[in-house]
Amino acid sequence: MIEPLRLSFAVDCSAEHAFETWATRTSMWWPAGHSVTGEDELEVIFEPWPGGRIFERTPAGREEDWGEVLAWEPPRRLRYLWHLRADRGDATEVEIRFADAEAGGARVDIEHRGWERLGERGPGRREANQRGWGGLVPHYVSACARR
């Protein structure tokens, strides 16, 4: 088994706002460099039900699939298959939990797993995704602070 990636961090908003920012306001904070097309002004869409698509839509209407929603449990939990820039058969799994913190704000816990499904490519993909999360999370944290 290849160890899952685990990230935990605080955001300056409620768990409800944190969930909504991740899952329904993704376009406002997701950097174009973390997409298939790399185009500015793209929409990032999570269809809000199990089996829903996760995809990007460019201003010209081109759509590129990124994954599939497995669990949609606002405002506490979101779980999905993830295959950005990869074949669906190479999907990994992301689970995100959102919890209000006693001191205010919320705690976000992310577990990205399933690397062993990729065989020899698993460790390299895990490492690339670790860097990817490092570049993505600051945009999200900043967006959570904006109301």
Side-chain angles (χ1 to χ4, degrees), residues 6-45:
R6 291 184 179 93
L7 297 89
S8 293
F9 52 91
V11 291
D12 188 20
C13 63
S14 67
E16 181 177 8
H17 184 75
F19 181 96
E20 288 175 6
T21 299
W22 190 279
T24 67
R25 297 180 182 139
T26 318
S27 300
M28 74 181 246
W29 60 270
W30 195 279
H34 286 254
S35 70
V36 174
T37 63
E39 289 189 34
D40 291 328
E41 309 284 327
L42 59 82
E43 287 181 88
V44 179
I45 300 159

Side-chain angles (χ1 to χ4, degrees), residues 5-6 11 15-16 19 29-30 39 46 55 60 63-64 78-79 82 85 90 99 102-103 107-108 112 114 119 122 134:
L5 288 173
R6 291 184 179 93
V11 291
E16 181 177 8
F19 181 96
W29 60 270
W30 195 279
E39 289 189 34
F46 281 71
F55 62 100
E63 293 183 357
E64 294 287 343
L78 178 63
R79 187 170 63 91
W82 188 245
R85 297 187 195 118
D90 290 337
E102 287 184 26
R107 180 124 197 108
V108 179
H112 191 167

Side-chain angles (χ1 to χ4, degrees), residues 3 6 8 29 40 47 49 56 61 65 71 75 85 89 100 110-111 120 129 134 137 143:
E3 186 70 22
R6 291 184 179 93
S8 293
W29 60 270
D40 291 328
E47 294 178 332
W49 56 81
E56 71 182 72
D65 284 336
R85 297 187 195 118
D100 287 318
I110 299 173
E111 183 172 297
E120 292 178 358
N129 275 267
V137 168

